[in-house]
Amino acid sequence: MRNPFLSIRHFSTMSPVAACHVAVIGAGASGLAAARHLRREGHSVVVFEKESQVGGIWIYTNHTEPDPLGLDPTRPRVHSSLYSSLRTNLPRESMGFREYPFAAKKTGQRDPRRFPGHSEVLEYLKDYASEFGIGELVRFETEVSRVWRRGSGKWEVRSRKKNGDDEDINEAFDAVVVCNGHYTEPRIAHIPGVDRWPGKQIHSHNYRVPEPFQNKIVVLIGSSASAVDISREIASVANEVHIASWSNSTEESATLPGYDNVWLRPMIESANEDGTISFPHGLKISADIILHCTGYKYHFPFLDTEGIVTVDDNRVGPLYKHVFPPSLAPWLSFVGLPWKVAPFPQYELQCEWIAGILSGRISLPSEEEMTKEVEAFYDSLKASGVPKRYTHNMTGYQFEYNDWIAMQCGTPKTEEWRIKMYHATSLNRNARPESYREEWEDDDLVMQAYQDFAKQIS
Ligand code: FAD
């Protein structure tokens, strides 16, 4: 099914100053945007994707990993972290790509809701890929196992076709764009004594449906969007849910408004051999399951930069503007590392920027200047007491960042309605965590968005 904007205006292909041969790793939303913008700029592109379709994290599966905490490095991996009931936490108008509106379709099997279910996002990404002919650039079921730099300066990419008899293949590229996603490798809360605690532990990466929590006493750790959704869903079947979070008061524990079996607790002090969990002020709860909704780690198991790029306490660095390692720029780049953002529109901008720099149409500062800027950025985080693991947290400045990149690319800044809608949704989500997907007060912005989308119909 094609986008309703059948005659959507494509920006024309640029005449590159220099065309490069570029490897993109991953065909999720960021890899699709990379392929689109690199080709538009005139580069030749190969996208490596280990799955059999585009969409990345949005390909829901009811499979989970055999190690429910994801601690065993040799475990078979499941890429997606979606749960069955997941609906978007951003409204479709502000979530979608700028160049390709995520407009509601009222046809066929499509989900026209403003905050649609996950399968609608997957369909949208497939539409995007087909609109821009990206499928033909993708090598499906082909996993990249190693990326390294040859003496000549070219990048070598080693890949292997899944389930085939084929051998590893090594190929040379001028540049590599890393788009492998960062919601697959679980981060686990450190709980003193948990090794001897007899209950069950699971990370939300392996949460799909609430049924296994029937009649259980669950301690859920975290306060992210997933933690909010999952705690409510589990409460419908569990005996008790205790939400432990640093952001809950240490003074008193309250029940969650509207629920008589969900409590807001401060962070756990310890897990004990007798099956109890200890909280501050002597509170002990006998629990069956700890569910870690504690986020994910950046993970690039295939990437060998001889120590130039590292992941240190979840800081991927050194990276200029979260994209380029100064000493390897622009030949190695990362798309989509920032969080607490509207991802898709930011991917577009990062990819347009990378593509334009590779062709020589846009310039980067010198390696020395980029390094200085990265160091100044890290110093400013340190001075403000921001831990390293929040390096890519863009709370409060994503639009400033996006506009800076837009200026580099000579492309329009973020639309006013999109910025206002993002903020209106955040406020609404905090005020009505249960019902923000059904009740809102920004219909005027929705109207402006659709007026804007309509301009893209030629
Ligand atoms: P992914 O979608 O993870 O894609 C990475 C791709 O790389 C995958 O297809 C993978 O198979 C492939 N790959 C990885 N390693 C290799 C390799 N070695 N070789 C070959 N291929 C490889 N965003 C929103 O905008 N709205 C939301 O409502 C929203 N909700 C979310 C809810 C949850 C639970 C999670 C986890 C995330 C949510 N996000 C949401 C964020 C979401 O992750 C991004 O929107 C986006 O889809 C990520 O795209 P990506 O391409 O960076 O990564």
Side-chain angles (χ1 to χ4, degrees):
M1 176 86 62
R2 303 260 298 176
N3 186 282
F5 300 98
L6 272 178
S7 53
I8 199 159
R9 263 207 321 268
H10 292 192
F11 296 117
S12 59
T13 300
M14 311 278 177
S15 306
V17 177
C20 299
H21 188 43
V22 188
V24 173
I25 300 169
S30 61
L32 294 176
R36 154 71 183 143
H37 286 281
L38 287 162
R39 187 164 64 176
R40 177 181 161 226
E41 187 81 21
H43 302 297
S44 74
V45 184
V46 177
V47 183
F48 294 90
E49 172 51 60
K50 61 186 162 78
E51 303 295 335
S52 56
Q53 54 176 317
V54 303
I57 200 97
W58 295 99
I59 306 169
Y60 174 77
T61 170
N62 52 17
H63 291 135
T64 53
E65 295 178 358
D67 169 8
L69 275 184
L71 295 176
D72 176 1
T74 63
R75 70 195 185 278
R77 300 291 208 284
V78 171
H79 186 78
S80 187
S81 300
L82 298 188
Y83 34 96
S84 175
S85 65
L86 184 135
R87 291 173 63 187
T88 64
N89 51 38
L90 293 175
R92 60 192 310 146
E93 305 87 23
S94 64
M95 175 173 160
F97 293 111
R98 300 184 337 156
E99 193 188 13
Y100 190 75
F102 191 9
K105 290 183 178 181
K106 299 214 165 66
T107 53
Q109 301 299 307
R110 299 300 287 258
D111 176 352
R113 291 176 296 179
R114 205 175 164 215
F115 295 83
H118 54 77
S119 55
E120 173 68 9
V121 183
L122 180 60
E123 289 308 312
Y124 167 69
L125 291 174
K126 287 181 182 168
D127 287 348
Y128 177 85
S130 107
E131 181 75 29
F132 297 114
I134 298 166
E136 68 199 47
L137 305 177
V138 186
R139 290 201 203 144
F140 290 106
E141 299 190 319
T142 306
E143 179 157 6
V144 171
S145 57
R146 194 166 172 231
V147 172
W148 73 104
R149 215 154 60 119
R150 281 200 313 210
S152 60
K154 293 241 178 202
W155 287 92
E156 202 76 32
V157 174
R158 177 173 298 161
S159 67
R160 183 193 279 248
K161 189 105 181 130
K162 233 184 193 173
N163 305 326
D165 300 327
D166 300 342
E167 300 288 303
D168 285 343
I169 298 177
N170 291 346
E171 286 162 277
F173 291 87
D174 299 310
V176 172
V177 184
V178 179
C179 300
N180 67 326
H182 52 91
Y183 292 104
T184 295
E185 196 65 21
R187 267 172 72 91
I188 304 295
H190 170 67
I191 306 171
V194 80
D195 291 347
R196 290 187 310 278
W197 182 71
K200 207 173 148 186
Q201 294 187 74
I202 170 175
H203 187 277
S204 56
H205 175 58
N206 290 306
Y207 174 81
R208 298 291 180 271
V209 290
E211 282 69 26
F213 296 83
Q214 184 101 37
N215 301 329
K216 303 284 188 212
I217 298 177
V218 183
V219 173
L220 180 150
I221 307 175
S223 55
S224 64
S226 301
V228 170
D229 283 349
I230 294 173
S231 55
R232 271 76 170 170
E233 185 163 87
I234 286 177
S236 63
V237 299
N239 281 350
E240 296 175 19
V241 179
H242 301 268
I243 304 175
S245 163
W246 293 113
S247 49
N248 291 338
S249 156
T250 52
E251 294 310 312
E252 51 186 297
S253 298
T255 50
L256 186 69
Y259 294 81
D260 59 9
N261 66 340
V262 183
W263 285 266
L264 301 173
R265 307 289 189 197
M267 191 40 83
I268 297 170
E269 276 186 351
S270 65
N272 312 309
E273 239 169 304
D274 63 0
T276 58
I277 305 281
S278 298
F279 292 92
H281 307 297
L283 175 69
K284 275 191 179 187
I285 288 160
S286 230
D288 302 304
I289 305 177
I290 299 176
L291 174 52
H292 297 249
C293 297
T294 38
Y296 295 88
K297 295 191 269 197
Y298 295 99
H299 190 52
F300 310 100
F302 49 83
L303 188 59
D304 178 1
T305 59
E306 297 179 334
I308 293 176
V309 180
T310 59
V311 183
D312 175 11
D313 189 19
N314 235 21
R315 166 184 291 173
V316 187
L319 290 184
Y320 177 65
K321 305 285 182 194
H322 306 269
V323 173
F324 292 110
S327 65
L328 299 172
W331 313 112
L332 180 68
S333 54
F334 294 79
V335 179
L337 299 190
W339 47 284
K340 294 272 182 192
V341 299
F344 294 8
Q346 188 171 81
Y347 299 162
E348 276 179 308
L349 287 163
Q350 289 182 327
C351 293
E352 197 173 338
W353 189 42
I354 294 166
I357 290 168
L358 284 174
S359 73
R361 186 172 58 80
I362 303 170
S363 52
L364 269 179
S366 69
E367 178 185 334
E368 195 190 2
E369 284 167 318
M370 288 191 280
T371 302
K372 266 195 190 146
E373 187 180 312
V374 176
E375 282 167 359
F377 173 53
Y378 294 165
D379 286 348
S380 73
L381 293 178
K382 196 171 175 188
S384 316
V386 177
K388 274 187 188 170
R389 63 181 184 281
Y390 283 8
T391 298
H392 306 291
N393 175 348
M394 255 188 206
T395 302
Y397 73 99
Q398 66 167 313
F399 296 114
E400 194 186 320
Y401 170 89
N402 290 356
D403 286 351
W404 183 88
I405 296 187
M407 199 176 68
Q408 304 300 304
C409 298
T411 209
K413 287 167 65 167
T414 306
E415 308 91 319
E416 274 303 309
W417 63 260
R418 200 185 285 270
I419 299 173
K420 286 184 182 159
M421 191 181 282
Y422 184 88
H423 294 311
T425 303
S426 301
L427 291 174
N428 197 26
R429 198 188 302 118
N430 289 339
R432 302 173 172 134
E434 326 285 335
S435 62
Y436 73 92
R437 294 182 175 97
E438 317 299 344
E439 295 176 71
W440 54 77
E441 274 136 35
D442 58 348
D443 277 327
D444 55 323
L445 298 173
V446 178
M447 214 164 73
Q448 284 177 42
Y450 276 87
Q451 279 166 2
D452 229 18
F453 297 167
K455 285 186 207 146
Q456 299 195 33
I457 306 172
S458 51

